[in-house]
Amino acid sequence: MLKALRFAAAIALLSGASFPAFSAESSHDMAGMPDMQGMSMPAKAAPAATVYHTEGVVKKLTADTVSIAHHPVAGLGWPAMTMTFSLPKDGSVPALSVGEKISFTFAQHEQGYQLVSATPLN
Ligand SMILES: [Cu+2]
């Protein structure tokens, strides 16, 4: 009887020694996954970027950026906000003006988000 108890205790110690390290590592991986798909960490080997569509008002322009007060973006879970997008260097987006209402598309690009297209709304 006493011998059987010692045996059971030894098994418990052995499994107790190997399990915590394993489960700590796997739960770390699980926790890391959602972060990788968040806004701040562009996936390194991403295929063609997803293009999102919304509408907004041009608030500010610089040579290579445009700040837009935009409507919510369901595909990204974004609320309405004002944010800055970079402009493609190839001139594929027409000239915009402050105060203009636009329908536009954008995609994740290097450090942030870049306009893909913009159409004035009347
Ligand atoms: Cu935004």
Side-chain angles (χ1 to χ4, degrees):
M1 184 64 182
L2 191 59
K3 209 170 186 180
L5 279 174
R6 281 203 183 129
F7 182 71
I11 295 290
L13 277 172
L14 275 174
S15 53
S18 59
F19 261 87
F22 175 76
S23 58
E25 201 164 314
S26 58
S27 71
H28 174 80
D29 287 348
M30 296 288 280
M33 288 293 282
D35 284 347
M36 294 298 289
Q37 295 169 345
M39 293 173 70
S40 58
M41 292 280 287
K44 284 248 161 86
T50 305
V51 173
Y52 301 94
H53 171 257
T54 189
E55 296 176 358
V57 177
V58 177
K59 290 295 182 184
K60 189 182 166 193
L61 284 161
T62 70
D64 47 16
T65 69
V66 56
S67 298
I68 303 172
H70 69 73
H71 292 180
V73 183
L76 287 163
W78 288 0
M81 68 176 102
T82 300
M83 63 184 281
T84 301
F85 297 84
S86 59
L87 290 166
K89 291 179 169 60
D90 62 7
S92 56
V93 170
L96 301 167
S97 51
V98 172
E100 191 172 25
K101 283 183 188 163
I102 57 171
S103 170
F104 67 99
T105 60
F106 63 95
Q108 194 165 16
H109 177 81
E110 292 169 9
Q111 306 297 316
Y113 290 88
Q114 184 172 74
L115 283 208
V116 172
S117 68
T119 308
L121 294 173
N122 295 312

